[in-house]
Amino acid sequence: MGVGSRKRDILRVVVTDYIKLAHPIGSRSIARRYKMGFSPATIRNEMADLEELGYLIQPHTSAGRIPTQKGYRYYVDELMEESDLDEEEKKKILEVYEYERMREIEEIIKHTSRLLSSITNYTSLILGPQLRKSAFKKLQIMPIDSQRGLLVLVSDTGFVKNKVINLPQTLSSGELNKIVSYLNRRLEGLSLEQFTSRLINELRRDLYHYVRFLEDTFTLVEESLTEDERRVILGGTTNILNQPEFGDIEKVKGLLSLFEQHSQLASLLSAPLADVDSVIIRIGRENILEEVQECSLVMTTYRLGNDIIGTIGLLGPTRMNYSKAVSVVRQVARRLEVM
Amino acid sequence: MGVGSRKRDILRVVVTDYIKLAHPIGSRSIARRYKMGFSPATIRNEMADLEELGYLIQPHTSAGRIPTQKGYRYYVDELMEESDLDEEEKKKILEVYEYERMREIEEIIKHTSRLLSSITNYTSLILGPQLRKSAFKKLQIMPIDSQRGLLVLVSDTGFVKNKVINLPQTLSSGELNKIVSYLNRRLEGLSLEQFTSRLINELRRDLYHYVRFLEDTFTLVEESLTEDERRVILGGTTNILNQPEFGDIEKVKGLLSLFEQHSQLASLLSAPLADVDSVIIRIGRENILEEVQECSLVMTTYRLGNDIIGTIGLLGPTRMNYSKAVSVVRQVARRLEVM
DNA sequence: GGTTAGCACTCTCGCCTGAAGAGTGCTAAT
DNA sequence: ATTAGCACTCTTCAGGCGAGAGTGCTAACC
């Protein structure tokens, strides 16, 4: 299919119209809506060819055509033009981040997810800061009462994690301070993925008197690396219900309960790290998970500092407005990077 | 309707059968399922009376009857017996809290909500610790780098709150320590609701040199009092989709988006504080919010320490298993109180 | 008088049918 | 290569029909 060929034009029209109208597109309606200079019959022939080639399909004989997954793929790769955002949408983006300068990273992400879903009416997914890649910044243990203390861990990307731990009664505040400053010295600048069992054992040796209460400290860091890395922030989870293709409860059920399983979502968002900065589109069955095989995901990575720290994405039906989704995701990611 | 009257028995049967079977209950099926010693015709007469009295209603002529809101109300007030839990369910409860001793209150609540929804198949709502009622325990500011610090606030109920704040460059660590220990002394034992603007102004006077960076501290406490108090933890939000009465997307939509609005949910859960320890049931339109007028809420308060600190509840269709919901909610709340 | 059997009536639900509408594929003409 | 024409297919929707379930009423029964 060469550039400027009639087939290309017709495929483009079918895809964009189907995205807009959500029902099969017939030759007659194309001829009516766009004055292409061909009769419906000609268009019909071309459409039959496009079906032969696997780009279109008929839901049943004598309905119009709708794009196949391959058709969408060709569209986003070859035909789509990235649309510019409305003035209003641009303004919305600016406003959100206007007042966000000082907040914690968690807050920024939550607002971002709300922003994405409110502009697009799709569901937004944000894979939070990859704690693994971020560096240790500071650790502190503040005594709460005689038995308990609060362990606080801060990463250079502004991520904070707490845990209440037991303190041995025998521990003086002087000793505690010494331990804390030892740990800070020892861990300074390490990325959290360097916090391996070898390192832990080394620390254990050095601090063998206090090992029992330090176990909690180690546990916290480990939890941060595993469980917490999979944290996904969602926005607009009910937007999907407005899509006509999800009018059936059964279809929605799987999707909505997927939204409660963060580790699954995290795997969905794991992008090939090669394509940093580019926007990745996964259409239908290109996604691994069963539940989203009738959905598409438009996503990109965002960075804070120099390391990649997360992914933001929009999930909609395969019939989603890719053009808009791509530009929204791109713009917001860019905006996020200058925070 | 006196105790032991036939009407009572029949009302009980209609309500329990409808809860179980989810379709209108007819006189014939009652006579068949329960050998009551009356013919269907007699039961029919009684049912006609019950309809007259407003306890039952027919969805259409010549269908069976279903309970009205008034019918459910009579049932829960007069007829229902609290059911005991299965061994398996009891075990489930024990297991969850077995490994929870050390965790932060937030974690405990999350697990509790998962527990509630998994046992009952309804949606669980937990109104978190009422920070307002809990007392200030400890405040700490840990420097992260030369410009920023992490402010950490701990309440006596184990609630932790963080915020990244700007530190004036000119501030020495000695000065910082002095400020922190002054604040700790000054705030010791105060309940957070005593943290009023009068107090803030007093602090402002005493620390007028540092006011600008302390503003963030004050803000944090204020936020904790307002925004954060309304935090609601949800579990099993998609369970509602399994109920036959919510087979229609339109009905579900409102409910699911309500689940994203925490302040609304918080208002739903606000219970008359008079009935601490008792389980409160709100049936259908007894709930204020539009979206849950076809749902019922079974809830009770739980305490940590001596002050009431929250509410746990189960939300299901009006046709929910009240008997089970009441006992689950009661048992879990009780279990929570000995943490 | 309370209870019951009998019966006509009503309403839902699933199924079929038929007409309207939309779109196609094929053929023959341009 | 393109187009007009036409028969054909398929969906959708309304209407109709029978089965099933349940009712209300009446008259008989204990």
Side-chain angles (χ1 to χ4, degrees):
Chain A
M1 265 196 304
V3 173
S5 80
R6 205 159 60 189
K7 281 196 181 43
R8 270 171 77 96
D9 292 344
I10 288 174
L11 180 55
R12 177 188 289 115
V13 166
V14 172
V15 174
T16 52
D17 270 20
Y18 184 61
I19 286 174
K20 217 175 298 168
L21 305 172
H23 59 65
I25 308 300
S27 56
R28 168 185 278 272
S29 74
I30 292 179
R32 211 183 314 125
R33 284 168 54 88
Y34 305 84
K35 309 247 170 341
M36 306 189 111
F38 321 111
S39 77
T42 310
I43 296 172
R44 258 200 308 278
N45 289 330
E46 296 285 25
M47 285 170 93
D49 291 351
L50 284 167
E51 181 163 2
E52 186 88 6
L53 292 167
Y55 295 109
L56 296 179
I57 199 171
Q58 288 180 289
H60 53 84
T61 336
S62 83
R65 260 101 174 176
I66 64 179
T68 60
Q69 186 169 319
K70 185 175 170 190
Y72 284 122
R73 176 47 67 197
Y74 187 87
Y75 169 76
V76 300
D77 288 343
E78 306 278 341
L79 302 173
M80 182 179 74
E81 284 157 22
E82 203 162 318
S83 66
D84 218 20
L85 299 183
D86 294 0
E87 280 312 309
E88 203 181 329
E89 292 164 347
K90 282 183 188 162
K91 211 173 115 194
K92 227 169 174 178
I93 296 177
L94 286 178
E95 272 172 9
V96 166
Y97 295 108
E98 190 68 25
Y99 303 102
E100 294 292 337
R101 300 229 148 248
M102 268 309 301
R103 302 220 188 198
E104 251 184 88
I105 197 163
E106 285 266 347
E107 282 296 301
I108 296 175
I109 289 177
K110 275 183 196 157
H111 281 84
T112 302
S113 101
R114 238 170 279 160
L115 173 69
L116 283 170
S117 58
S118 88
I119 290 183
T120 61
N121 266 306
Y122 300 125
T123 300
S124 69
L125 309 171
I126 305 190
L127 190 53
Q130 242 187 326
L131 206 51
R132 186 183 284 281
K133 295 277 177 196
S134 59
F136 173 88
K137 185 105 195 186
K138 195 101 189 186
L139 174 153
Q140 183 66 272
I141 296 175
M142 51 184 280
I144 299 175
D145 51 34
S146 62
Q147 300 153 50
R148 295 176 308 158
L150 182 72
L151 172 65
V152 183
L153 183 75
V154 185
S155 82
D156 64 343
T157 46
F159 205 75
V160 180
K161 186 99 176 124
N162 316 304
K163 188 184 174 86
V164 177
I165 60 175
N166 276 338
L167 295 179
Q169 303 245 12
T170 53
L171 197 71
S172 76
S173 77
E175 280 178 304
L176 184 61
N177 282 337
K178 268 204 286 192
I179 293 170
V180 168
S181 67
Y182 168 79
L183 284 173
N184 272 305
R185 240 185 357 262
R186 199 71 182 66
L187 299 175
E188 193 177 359
L190 286 184
S191 93
L192 291 183
E193 66 187 340
Q194 291 174 279
F195 199 90
T196 58
S197 53
R198 202 175 60 77
L199 177 62
I200 292 178
N201 283 331
E202 230 175 283
L203 295 176
R204 255 201 201 100
R205 238 190 356 263
D206 294 351
L207 296 164
Y208 64 97
H209 284 307
Y210 311 108
V211 165
R212 247 179 61 82
F213 102 87
L214 283 173
E215 277 318 322
D216 284 331
T217 313
F218 303 148
T219 309
L220 175 66
V221 180
E222 271 178 346
E223 268 177 16
S224 310
L225 288 177
T226 54
E227 169 192 327
D228 210 86
E229 181 179 17
R230 334 217 84 167
R231 187 167 158 67
V232 176
I233 285 86
L234 291 169
T237 49
T238 57
N239 285 353
I240 203 83
L241 301 180
N242 297 321
Q243 300 296 339
E245 39 266 84
F246 290 94
D248 177 25
I249 286 275
E250 288 307 315
K251 279 194 186 164
V252 172
K253 231 189 256 180
L255 203 50
L256 288 178
S257 52
L258 173 65
F259 290 160
E260 292 184 343
Q261 298 167 40
H262 284 207
S263 64
Q264 295 266 53
L265 291 176
S267 75
L268 195 64
L269 285 173
S270 68
L273 292 181
D275 317 77
V276 178
D277 280 346
S278 67
V279 176
I280 296 168
I281 302 179
R282 295 233 189 88
I283 299 168
R285 279 174 316 250
E286 294 170 10
N287 294 297
I288 334 116
L289 295 180
E290 180 82 38
E291 294 89 338
V292 291
Q293 308 237 319
E294 295 187 26
C295 297
S296 287
L297 181 62
V298 174
M299 62 182 175
T300 191
T301 50
Y302 64 90
R303 291 173 289 181
L304 259 82
N306 273 327
D307 294 322
I308 300 154
I309 65 161
T311 310
I312 72 179
L314 282 170
L315 186 75
T318 44
R319 189 189 58 73
M320 80 193 283
N321 187 336
Y322 293 97
S323 166
K324 183 165 180 183
V326 169
S327 48
V328 171
V329 160
R330 193 193 296 282
Q331 306 254 0
V332 169
R334 208 163 275 161
R335 185 65 192 76
L336 215 45
E337 289 179 347
V338 297
M339 286 303 285
Chain B
M1 265 195 305
V3 173
S5 81
R6 206 162 56 190
K7 280 194 182 42
R8 271 171 76 98
D9 292 343
I10 289 174
L11 180 56
R12 177 190 287 113
V13 167
V14 172
V15 174
T16 53
D17 270 21
Y18 184 61
I19 285 174
K20 216 175 298 167
L21 305 172
H23 59 66
I25 308 301
S27 56
R28 168 185 277 272
S29 73
I30 292 180
R32 211 182 314 126
R33 285 168 53 88
Y34 306 83
K35 309 246 168 346
M36 307 188 110
F38 320 110
S39 77
T42 311
I43 296 172
R44 259 203 303 282
N45 289 330
E46 296 286 24
M47 284 169 95
D49 291 352
L50 285 167
E51 181 164 2
E52 186 88 8
L53 292 167
Y55 295 108
L56 297 179
I57 198 171
Q58 289 180 287
H60 53 85
T61 335
S62 82
R65 260 103 174 173
I66 64 178
T68 60
Q69 185 170 319
K70 185 175 170 189
Y72 284 122
R73 176 48 67 197
Y74 187 87
Y75 169 76
V76 300
D77 288 343
E78 307 277 342
L79 302 173
M80 182 180 74
E81 285 158 21
E82 203 161 319
S83 66
D84 219 17
L85 298 184
D86 293 0
E87 281 311 310
E88 202 182 328
E89 292 164 347
K90 282 183 188 162
K91 214 173 110 194
K92 226 170 175 178
I93 295 177
L94 286 178
E95 273 172 9
V96 166
Y97 294 108
E98 191 67 25
Y99 304 102
E100 294 291 337
R101 300 230 149 249
M102 268 309 302
R103 301 222 189 195
E104 247 184 271
I105 197 161
E106 285 266 346
E107 282 296 301
I108 296 174
I109 289 177
K110 276 184 197 159
H111 281 83
T112 302
S113 102
R114 239 170 278 161
L115 172 69
L116 284 171
S117 58
S118 88
I119 289 183
T120 60
N121 265 307
Y122 301 125
T123 300
S124 69
L125 309 172
I126 305 189
L127 190 54
Q130 244 186 326
L131 205 51
R132 185 183 285 280
K133 293 277 178 198
S134 59
F136 173 88
K137 185 109 194 182
K138 196 103 187 183
L139 173 151
Q140 183 65 272
I141 296 174
M142 50 184 280
I144 300 175
D145 51 33
S146 61
Q147 300 153 49
R148 296 177 307 158
L150 181 73
L151 172 65
V152 183
L153 183 76
V154 185
S155 82
D156 64 343
T157 45
F159 204 75
V160 180
K161 186 95 178 130
N162 316 304
K163 188 185 173 83
V164 177
I165 60 174
N166 276 338
L167 295 179
Q169 303 246 11
T170 53
L171 198 72
S172 76
S173 79
E175 280 179 303
L176 184 61
N177 282 338
K178 268 203 287 191
I179 294 171
V180 168
S181 68
Y182 168 80
L183 285 173
N184 271 306
R185 243 188 352 264
R186 199 72 181 66
L187 299 176
E188 193 177 1
L190 287 184
S191 93
L192 291 184
E193 66 188 341
Q194 292 175 275
F195 199 89
T196 57
S197 54
R198 203 174 59 78
L199 177 61
I200 291 178
N201 283 330
E202 231 174 284
L203 295 175
R204 256 203 200 100
R205 238 190 354 264
D206 295 352
L207 294 164
Y208 65 98
H209 283 307
Y210 311 109
V211 165
R212 248 178 60 83
F213 102 86
L214 284 172
E215 277 316 322
D216 285 331
T217 312
F218 302 147
T219 310
L220 176 65
V221 180
E222 271 178 346
E223 269 177 16
S224 311
L225 289 176
T226 53
E227 168 193 330
D228 210 87
E229 182 178 18
R230 333 217 85 167
R231 188 168 156 68
V232 176
I233 285 87
L234 292 168
T237 48
T238 58
N239 285 353
I240 202 85
L241 300 181
N242 297 321
Q243 300 295 340
E245 39 268 83
F246 291 94
D248 177 25
I249 286 275
E250 288 307 314
K251 278 191 185 165
V252 172
K253 229 189 258 182
L255 203 50
L256 287 178
S257 52
L258 173 66
F259 289 161
E260 293 184 341
Q261 298 166 41
H262 284 207
S263 63
Q264 294 267 53
L265 291 175
S267 75
L268 194 64
L269 285 172
S270 67
L273 291 180
D275 318 76
V276 179
D277 280 344
S278 67
V279 176
I280 296 168
I281 301 179
R282 294 235 188 89
I283 299 168
R285 280 173 314 247
E286 294 171 10
N287 294 296
I288 335 117
L289 295 181
E290 179 82 36
E291 294 88 339
V292 292
Q293 307 236 321
E294 295 187 25
C295 296
S296 286
L297 181 63
V298 173
M299 62 181 176
T300 190
T301 50
Y302 63 89
R303 289 172 292 182
L304 259 81
N306 273 328
D307 293 321
I308 301 152
I309 65 160
T311 311
I312 72 178
L314 282 170
L315 186 74
T318 44
R319 188 189 59 72
M320 79 192 282
N321 187 335
Y322 293 97
S323 166
K324 183 164 182 186
V326 168
S327 48
V328 171
V329 160
R330 194 193 298 280
Q331 306 254 1
V332 170
R334 208 162 274 160
R335 184 65 192 74
L336 215 45
E337 287 178 349
V338 297
M339 286 303 283

